[in-house]
Amino acid sequence: MNKKSKLHMTTEEFREAGYKTVDWIADYYDHIEDYPVFPKVKPGEIRSMLPDHPPQKGRQYEEILQDMNTMMPGITHWQSPNFHAFFPCATSGPAILGDLISTGLGINGMNWITSPSATELESHVLDWLVDMMDLPKKFKSTEIGGGVLQDTASSSSLVALIAAREKTSKGEINNNGYNRKLTVYTSSQAHSSIEKAVKIAGIGKNNLRLVDVDNSFAMDVNHLRKLILQDIDNGLQPSFICATVGTTSSTAIDPVEEIGLICKEFGIWLHVDAAMAGPAALCPEYRFINSGVEYADSYTFNPHKWMLTNFDCSVFYIAKRELLIDAMTILPEYLKNKATESQTVFDFRDWGIPLGRRFRALKLWNVINYYGITGLQEYIHEHMRNTQELKKWIDKDPNFEIIAPVPLTLICFRHKNGDQFNERLLNKMNESGKMYMTHTKLNNQYVIRFSIGAITSSIEHLKETWDYIVDCASKIKK
Ligand code: PLP
């Protein structure tokens, strides 16, 4: 982009096209409720409407923007007030604009030297967050730990596992390849990203132990201890435990403190996955979710789930950064520079998997500064309050039951008419376009998940959705 060009968009053209694009996004949010939350298209339908060949001659930007009309029928409206599937994927005006500036700057913050502000803002804002959420001070970059942004919690957990693998194998795997002895533990309710990390990190699926859960779907520490002792007896080396604070199926909270004590006893790395739940700790009254985090070697949560910061943005903290850097570092000739040699800067290429890095911290910076601590607390409070209100309505209806505790903003419920009925009910609700929810299985029963967290969702929306669910159920034959 420059002032005058025949080939490229000029800055003046960009300004005009940019205003139109921002208008398009604002109009989208103004009319978001007009769209069916769950797209009604068939596989291949959107692609069949796209031109067979790319244009030989470039098109006007206004015309390209019109292509969104073709895309919209195949968009799932994650920001709709009636989106209650999976977990939320947060968004906000300041985050979108922060991302826009980051993209506009077009920098690559792989090393400190390649854009000092990108690295320093990221360290600074993540140190702020430690205080804002009352996390252990050891996670601060001013101590011997530090925070870094990854794209997703899947990457955060993978990076944690690699650091733990190198610590427990004393660097053997990085140097010589697999040793087949390391074992990993997580509950049967943990997110699938842990199993994926185990595969990618070369630990091997056969060395992953899925620990039983108790009645509240939280990890059973007696079973954990038993598995660890069995493995030690068999000459294996327990390396890594992932505790989940807010499981995907039901937001169950593992007993992190008890798990932490076991980790201490056996010298095992404790990683805490609080992908969804983490932001609850912005409010002092919900800091029960931090219980035991002082034992963690690493911790992750996603501002892109429940902290108003557009996808992708996963916070990763490590208690001893040298363990991560030792496991990840590479220094080819073409990346050598004086700042790195001085050892006074962080080169975030050594804190994660990719070399290249976006300026992700800017959108988080925008969010924290725009809302302030009070605004963020208000946002979390509202979702927690609304969830408890919804829970009362479900509790009151004799045809429905709540299947798991509701510590945060997810309600797992089902109609008392059995699995097939609930499956039909969920399909009918989603096909209506009025809402989108997903299901899980708990205790082998089909359960509908009502997940709260869209920025646009009010208590009135929840009431309307609940009334519709009741109405739908009344129209389904047993
Ligand atoms: N961990 C938990 C507890 C989750 O619920 C999820 C996703 O819902 C993940 C990890 C994976 O998150 P991401 O998509 O950021 O990798």
Side-chain angles (χ1 to χ4, degrees), residues 182-200:
L182 303 185
T183 47
V184 167
Y185 308 80
T186 197
S187 94
S188 57
Q189 293 288 313
H191 189 261
S192 55
S193 53
I194 306 305
E195 181 181 334
K196 198 169 190 177
V198 161
K199 288 184 182 175
I200 298 171

Side-chain angles (χ1 to χ4, degrees), residues 368-388:
I368 295 172
N369 282 281
Y370 183 85
Y371 287 92
I373 295 172
T374 315
L376 290 169
Q377 289 173 339
E378 213 174 289
Y379 155 79
I380 298 289
H381 275 308
E382 188 188 351
H383 292 161
M384 295 287 271
R385 235 186 357 254
N386 289 351
T387 309
Q388 288 307 317

